[in-house]
C-alpha cells in the first residue's frame, strides 16, 4: 500500500492532533528503520496505522476484545491499552493489511512484550520520541535511541512505569514483562555479574 493511500485512510479515523502525531511517528520510525536495518516500508505502514483504533468507542473495543479472545486481563486494566490490540485487529479486517510483522508492531505498541522484534521496538520508540512529544524525560530517550534501541526502550519503560506509579495506577503485566525481559537480557550480556 502506498503511503498517500494509507494516510488518507487513517486521517479519517483520527483527530487533527493525533494525525500530526502519526506523521511524526512515521518519519521517526522510517529514520530508525534506516539506522537499525529494519524494513522501512513495514515501519512506515505500522507507524501510519499504530493509533488507528484510538478513537473507537470503548464499547466497540470491549466487544472486539471479548469476541476475538484477546487477553481478558485487558478489560480490568486502563482502557488506554485497548487501542493497540484492537487496532491490529481492525487494521487487518478493515484496511486489509495481513502482514504479521506490521500487525504485531501495532498490537504491542503500548505495552511492548518480552522478546520484541526490531520492528516492534522501532514503533514503540518512535511513538515515544516523535518530534511532537514534549514530556519530561523524552530528550534522554531521544539521545539513547541514536545509539542503542534497547537502552532507549528501557528508559521509556521506566518513565512510563514511574508515571503510572505516581498516578496510583495499576501496571499492565505485559508492560512489566517487557521491562523484565530487557533487564534480564542486559544482565546476561554484562560480564561483571
Ligand atoms: O496512543 P499514544 O498516546 O500515542 O501512546 P500509547 O499507545 O503508548 O498510550 C499511552 C497511554 O497508555 C498512556 O495513557 C499510559 C497508558 N499505558 C501505557 N502502559 C500502561 C498504561 N496504562 C496502564 N494502566 N498500564 C500500563 O502498563
Ligand atoms: Fe497508541
Ligand atoms: Fe501513538
Amino acid at each position: 500500500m502506498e503511503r498517500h493511500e494509507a494516510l488518507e485512510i487513517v486521517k479519517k479515523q483520527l483527530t487533527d492532533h493525533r494525525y500530526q502525531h502519526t506523521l511524526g511517528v512515521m518519519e521517526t520510525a522510517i529514520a530508525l528503520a534506516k539506522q537499525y536495518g529494519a524494513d522501512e516500508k513495514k515501519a512506515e505502514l505500522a507507524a501510519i496505522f499504530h493509533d488507528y483504533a484510538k478513537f473507537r468507542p470503548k464499547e466497540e473495543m470491549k466487544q472486539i476484545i471479548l469476541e476475538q479472545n484477546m487477553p481478558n486481563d485487558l478489560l480490568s486494566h486502563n482502557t488506554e491499552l485497548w487501542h493497540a490490540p484492537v487496532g491490529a485487529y481492525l487494521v487487518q479486517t478493515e484496511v486489509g493489511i495481513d502482514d504479521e510483522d506490521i500487525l504485531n508492531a501495532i498490537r504491542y505498541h503500548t505495552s511492548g512484550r518480552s522478546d520484541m522484534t526490531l520492528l516492534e521496538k522501532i514503533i514503540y520508540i518512535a511513538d515515544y520520541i516523535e518530534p511532537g512529544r514534549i514530556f519530561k524525560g523524552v530528550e534522554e530517550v531521544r539521545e539513547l535511541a541514536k545509539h542503542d534501541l534497547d537502552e532507549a526502550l528501557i528508559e521509556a519503560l521506566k518513565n512510563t512505569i514511574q508515571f503510572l506509579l505516581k498516578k496510583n495506577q495499576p501496571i499492565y503485566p505485559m508492560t512489566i514483562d517487557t521491562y523484565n525481559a530487557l533487564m534480564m537480557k542486559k544482565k546476561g550480556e554484562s560480564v561483571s555479574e
Side-chain angles (χ1 to χ4, degrees):
M1 184 181 291
E2 295 290 333
R3 176 191 293 198
H4 71 89
E5 191 189 344
L7 286 174
E8 210 172 289
I9 293 169
V10 85
K11 198 172 198 289
K12 298 191 184 87
Q13 301 289 326
L14 304 175
T15 60
D16 188 53
H17 180 78
R18 184 62 42 177
Y19 181 69
Q20 295 306 320
H21 160 72
T22 294
L23 294 177
V25 177
M26 179 187 77
E27 292 298 344
T28 307
I30 292 170
L32 289 172
K34 267 201 182 88
Q35 187 188 345
Y36 289 99
D39 186 315
E40 290 172 38
K41 189 65 200 173
K42 289 189 186 193
E44 178 187 82
L45 286 176
I48 290 174
F49 289 114
H50 84 283
D51 276 339
Y52 181 84
K54 190 83 179 175
F55 299 105
R56 288 300 167 109
K58 289 194 177 57
E59 267 314 308
E60 182 189 348
M61 291 200 279
K62 187 176 176 178
Q63 198 77 19
I64 291 169
I65 289 167
L66 289 168
E67 283 174 6
Q68 299 303 316
N69 296 312
M70 291 176 186
N72 256 320
D73 62 355
L74 279 167
L75 297 174
S76 55
H77 280 270
N78 194 343
T79 55
E80 277 295 320
L81 293 160
W82 298 358
H83 74 286
V86 170
Y89 171 75
L90 291 176
V91 166
Q92 182 169 30
T93 53
E94 293 182 0
V95 184
I97 289 179
D98 282 317
D99 185 292
E100 270 305 315
D101 298 335
I102 294 174
L103 297 177
N104 281 335
I106 298 170
R107 185 172 290 122
Y108 300 112
H109 87 264
T110 304
S111 62
R113 63 163 165 170
S114 50
D115 296 317
M116 289 169 84
T117 64
L118 177 59
L119 187 68
E120 287 165 26
K121 290 177 183 177
I122 284 172
I123 298 303
Y124 187 103
I125 298 290
D127 189 23
Y128 198 89
I129 66 171
E130 61 94 1
R133 299 289 210 193
I134 48 165
F135 42 76
K136 190 169 151 282
V138 71
E139 207 43 60
E140 284 85 344
V141 180
R142 278 194 188 112
E143 277 308 307
L144 289 167
K146 288 178 185 162
H147 310 287
D148 190 325
L149 221 45
D150 281 355
E151 287 296 339
L153 207 54
I154 288 170
E155 187 65 20
L157 280 156
K158 279 184 175 173
N159 288 348
T160 299
I161 292 167
Q162 259 158 7
F163 168 80
L164 294 165
L165 290 176
K166 271 199 199 113
K167 292 210 312 175
N168 286 319
Q169 284 215 38
I171 318 284
Y172 187 51
M174 212 184 294
T175 303
I176 305 283
D177 288 345
T178 311
Y179 171 78
N180 281 345
L182 287 159
M183 292 311 274
M184 284 173 197
K185 175 166 176 260
K186 192 168 147 163
K187 207 172 153 91
E189 281 168 1
S190 104
V191 285
S192 59
E193 286 182 87

